[in-house]
Amino acid sequence: MGAEQFIHIAILGAGRGGTALIELFTRCNGIAITGIADTNPDAPGLRLASNLNIPATTDPVSLVADKAVDLIVDVTGNPSMPALIERHKSARAEILSGTAAKLVWSLIQDERDLYGHLAHAEKLSTLGTFAAGIAHEFNNPLHMMLGFAQLIQDTQDPATVQEYIQEIVKLIKHLSNMSTSVNLYARTSTQGELVLVQIPKLLDEAIRMAKFSTILDEVTVVPDYGPVPDIQAEPGELLQVFLNLIVNAVQAMNARGQLTLRTGVEQGSITVSVEDTGPGIAPQDLAKIFAPFFTTKKEGKGTGLGLYIVDTIVRKYGGRIEPRSEVGKGTAFRIHFPLPAPPQDTAPAPRAASQATF
Amino acid sequence: MGMWPFGHHDPSKKSMGRVLIVDDEENIRKIARLTLTKAGYEVIEGKDGGDAIEALNSGENPLLVDAIICDIRMPKINGVEAISYFRSQYPSVPIIVQTGFPDLNLATSLMKQGVSDYLVKPVENEKLIAAVNKAVEERAMFTS
């Protein structure tokens, strides 16, 4: 290991195995990915790597020969690869290949499934707390639709009838938007289906969703959206992140105060902040908030998984999250996402299917 | 029935009573006002618990309110808080809960506090009129 205490890893093979390795290693502390190689320029792992600013190449030899590499993980399944690695690697680089690599691969698969279930369970548990709010948010418009419809039955004046019909049409549109939001949030992660996401739009969506779990009438929402590039992500996952932070912030303020949402570009990264004017988090708790099952909420009110999932999703996209809190003043969660790599000649062209759907 | 236009009640006819509707949604108050006015009631409105308490206390005679229709989920003073205030200050005024929450526990606990009806939205206009009629009649039986 070098002086920095990092294990520098080169990944060979950017199919499902290589992609899973990137996702796992970016979540782990103490691991630096030197690069990933695959002779197929369209391999999904190469695209993910360039999104995360990890060197991606179609030339395995140059990566294997890199002097900084401590460990080469070969998940190509290519029988001629071990000989090629032996020929070009530096003397100190170790190799993980064959059955050992398969073992690591199956452990990762297992961990990934487990994490997927956990993230979905957290989502469902949040949806459970939304149930009452969702019922309220749907039943109110239904009540008004029924009321206006019944009033129309007894109304002779055409202008009044028109007015009520317009109200009903508005309510139907509102209901339809809400069901879209709930569906976007509740559906299972689509396993790597990345689309271009507009962060400010998703923050607005999260505010709409937050109304299911908390009353926002006395919260002043201040959107301060600086221009940010779209990022490649699963919209449902980022929605889970933003919604978690927003609901936490509103609950911390006891539904009274100011909620500021900011986006911007700073020092080479995209920043997204969620800031509240609540009582703040005690320093001894601040260190523990991202740990699984840590919660300060009353029993039955929180799973303790929210911020753990938030942190895990943010890391998956190569980002990090920074909490800052002052007792008596408020708390700010700031997320840094890597800026998308500028388009290069070698980078695979984005597929039509990955154009913005959100 | 249906003989006079909405929003006006027949001056030749004696009012059936005075009803306070408390809901943060303007259109819900409007629907209740039009429906109950047509059924012969006078309707006053409050947009949240605090507003409703103020409306009651500022009236010339608070006892003139014959029934209160109250939502649960509202900003500032919510329905549960407002209802407990109404029950303590005006114990003889019947309260009808009209809410989007189909919550059995809440319904049970509010009925125990003496709430006369718990209606889950969407509520048909006739059902609201029937609930108000029943509450006002029962009150008349107790107070007369």
Side-chain angles (χ1 to χ4, degrees), chain B residues 83-102:
Chain B
I83 287 168
S84 99
Y85 176 87
F86 297 145
R87 292 304 299 158
S88 68
Q89 297 300 307
Y90 309 105
S92 70
V93 177
I95 296 168
I96 297 160
V97 174
Q98 178 177 259
T99 172
F101 283 113

Side-chain angles (χ1 to χ4, degrees), chain B:
Chain B
M1 293 291 153
M3 282 172 59
W4 53 87
F6 300 129
H8 307 274
H9 67 106
D10 189 341
S12 68
K13 222 170 177 181
K14 197 176 156 275
S15 166
M16 301 266 294
R18 200 158 167 237
V19 180
L20 168 65
I21 165 89
V22 193
D23 202 302
D24 56 331
E25 195 71 57
E26 194 192 338
N27 274 332
I28 291 180
R29 296 197 304 271
K30 179 178 176 180
I31 289 164
R33 174 164 46 82
L34 294 175
T35 304
L36 292 171
T37 307
K38 204 180 119 196
Y41 289 96
E42 270 180 76
V43 179
I44 56 173
E45 301 178 23
K47 63 178 185 300
D48 58 57
D51 199 35
I53 290 169
E54 212 173 281
L56 271 189
N57 291 337
S58 68
E60 281 164 26
N61 182 356
L63 292 179
L64 266 180
V65 176
D66 298 291
I68 299 170
I69 303 166
C70 193
D71 187 19
I72 295 297
R73 195 174 156 123
M74 292 179 294
K76 292 180 189 154
I77 296 175
N78 68 34
V80 175
E81 293 162 337
I83 287 168
S84 99
Y85 176 87
F86 297 145
R87 292 304 299 158
S88 68
Q89 297 300 307
Y90 309 105
S92 70
V93 177
I95 296 168
I96 297 160
V97 174
Q98 178 177 259
T99 172
F101 283 113
D103 184 334
L104 192 62
N105 290 333
L106 182 63
T108 314
S109 125
L110 288 172
M111 296 300 269
K112 276 186 192 155
Q113 284 180 51
V115 158
S116 63
D117 232 324
Y118 188 95
L119 307 177
V120 176
K121 292 172 189 166
V123 179
E124 285 176 63
N125 293 349
E126 296 76 42
K127 214 169 154 190
L128 182 66
I129 296 172
V132 172
N133 285 343
K134 185 179 128 223
V136 172
E137 274 163 31
E138 275 170 16
R139 185 187 186 220
M141 268 161 50
F142 278 110
T143 49
S144 58

Side-chain angles (χ1 to χ4, degrees), chain A residues 306-333:
Chain A
L307 284 178
Y308 167 69
I309 303 284
V310 164
D311 185 46
T312 310
I313 293 173
V314 168
R315 280 170 186 257
K316 178 182 159 182
Y317 293 106
R320 66 196 157 81
I321 180 163
E322 233 174 49
R324 268 180 312 165
S325 191
E326 213 174 312
V327 173
K329 288 226 167 136
T331 304
F333 283 90

Side-chain angles (χ1 to χ4, degrees), chain A residues 2 4 6-10 30-34 68-72 92:
Chain A
E4 307 158 279
F6 272 103
I7 307 173
H8 293 89
I9 297 182
I31 291 179
I33 304 175
T34 309
V69 171
D70 299 304
L71 178 68
I72 298 162
R92 67 184 186 90

Side-chain angles (χ1 to χ4, degrees), chain A residues 88-130:
Chain A
H88 296 284
K89 79 176 189 68
S90 74
R92 67 184 186 90
E94 293 170 36
I95 306 166
L96 188 70
S97 65
T99 316
K102 266 189 203 138
L103 174 68
V104 170
W105 162 239
S106 60
L107 288 176
I108 289 171
Q109 281 298 101
D110 199 48
E111 191 259 6
R112 195 179 164 172
D113 287 352
L114 213 57
Y115 166 75
H117 292 316
L118 199 61
H120 194 60
E122 194 275 337
K123 228 189 240 184
L124 291 180
S125 128
T126 309
L127 265 187
T129 67
F130 282 2

